[in-house]
Amino acid sequence: MRSVETNIGAIYNVKTVILATGTYLKGKIFIGDVSYESGPDGVFPANKLSDCLKNLGIEIVRFKTGTPARVNKNSVDFSKMEIQNGDDEIEMFSFENEETKIEQVPCYLTYTNEKTHEIIRKNLHRSPLYGGEIVGTGPRYCPSIEDKVVRFSDKPRHQIFIEPMGIDTDEMYVQGMSSSLPEDVQIEMYRSIAGLENVEFTRPAYAIEYDCIEPSQLKLSLELKKISGMFFAGQINRNIRL
């Protein structure tokens, strides 16, 4: 039996602990030259938990990732985009699940262009990613739009998917446009894209830096080798950038 204490002093006696902290461990948000301690979407970061893990002898490393802006559906011109419908037949993740019917909501495809890329290039000095303020390593699978423009400079455009955040909301997720540039630059570059000329933000894009663990400390079951009954799942397990 182990004791787990929360930030406000509540104690839980448990046999097993599974830590799935996402990007909350000592989370720090970056939007241009603005930075502040926070988890995603304005939720408090988990600062004390990082220190607790260090005190247990667990190796902690610094990582970073990013997310795109959320925009108002009513400010998007979908007629200038390619519709991306959902699957006619929904395949379940597990063979144990039965077939289901859900309401399908389409996504939409558009592209960056040379004007978008030029806006980004002339403002790279305002990006904390390129200015050195962000020290954490990034994942290999979701580069920011700044990174795409710099690393793949031979590409004249990049795909941008406009995805609904849910059935009952007008918020849309601009997949492929994660960024740490200042909000005024974000608005300018988003509005250079077909269908987003008059787009309105509900939340700007941002980069987030956070603590995670070196996954070589885990068994294949994701249980910590040195402490039985302690498991780590999701983004707390560092992805190595190749």
Side-chain angles (χ1 to χ4, degrees):
M1 187 70 68
R2 301 182 183 281
S3 294
V4 180
E5 183 175 352
T6 70
N7 196 44
I8 58 174
I11 296 176
Y12 294 88
N13 295 316
V14 297
K15 294 181 179 180
T16 300
V17 175
I18 302 173
L19 290 177
T21 57
T23 61
Y24 288 88
L25 288 183
K26 291 195 174 178
K28 188 174 184 181
I29 298 288
F30 294 86
I31 305 173
D33 59 359
V34 176
S35 63
Y36 52 92
E37 290 188 352
S38 177
D41 300 328
V43 180
F44 285 115
N47 291 336
K48 292 183 179 180
L49 184 54
S50 281
D51 296 332
C52 178
L53 296 177
K54 288 179 183 178
N55 292 335
L56 291 172
I58 298 170
E59 183 183 354
I60 301 294
V61 292
R62 200 71 173 154
F63 214 53
K64 69 95 179 172
T65 189
T67 192
R70 276 64 163 177
V71 301
N72 188 331
K73 174 182 178 180
N74 301 306
S75 66
V76 178
D77 185 352
F78 296 109
S79 68
K80 295 182 179 181
M81 302 178 180
E82 302 171 32
I83 191 167
Q84 307 286 299
N85 288 310
D87 296 333
D88 292 329
E89 295 185 12
I90 301 171
E91 293 189 19
M92 308 303 290
F93 282 104
S94 172
F95 292 113
E96 296 178 356
N97 293 106
E98 298 178 358
E99 292 185 7
T100 186
K101 295 292 183 181
I102 60 173
E103 181 181 349
Q104 294 277 36
V105 182
C107 298
Y108 295 84
L109 174 63
T110 185
Y111 298 88
T112 63
N113 52 62
E114 184 50 42
K115 182 179 179 182
T116 315
H117 299 179
E118 180 56 32
I119 293 168
I120 293 169
R121 284 192 291 265
K122 75 178 183 181
N123 285 285
L124 281 176
H125 65 285
R126 300 182 65 190
S127 168
L129 178 64
Y130 286 88
E133 289 87 352
I134 298 176
V135 297
T137 304
R140 64 179 182 269
Y141 49 80
C142 56
S144 66
I145 189 62
E146 300 99 282
D147 240 357
K148 290 179 188 177
V149 169
V150 171
R151 291 165 57 190
F152 308 107
S153 57
D154 59 315
K155 303 298 182 184
R157 66 179 190 173
H158 295 284
Q159 289 183 324
I160 304 298
F161 290 93
I162 313 300
E163 306 172 350
M165 292 286 289
I167 299 291
D168 301 318
T169 178
D170 285 335
E171 239 185 353
M172 308 290 284
Y173 185 93
V174 188
Q175 180 66 265
M177 287 287 283
S178 65
S179 176
S180 62
L181 286 164
E183 187 171 5
D184 62 300
V185 179
Q186 291 183 34
I187 293 172
E188 184 182 5
M189 69 184 187
Y190 274 59
R191 289 181 177 175
S192 69
I193 295 170
L196 300 179
E197 293 89 348
N198 299 301
V199 75
E200 296 290 342
F201 283 9
T202 56
R203 290 178 278 177
Y206 59 83
I208 184 167
E209 197 174 61
Y210 61 100
D211 284 351
C212 56
I213 73 162
E214 191 61 64
S216 59
Q217 302 170 95
L218 304 178
K219 301 176 184 178
L220 293 178
S221 62
L222 302 183
E223 183 181 24
L224 195 69
K225 293 176 181 177
K226 63 172 64 176
I227 302 176
S228 62
M230 180 174 283
F231 294 80
F232 293 78
Q235 282 186 268
I236 191 172
N237 299 332
R238 178 186 180 185
N239 292 288
I240 305 300
R241 183 173 185 172
L242 301 179

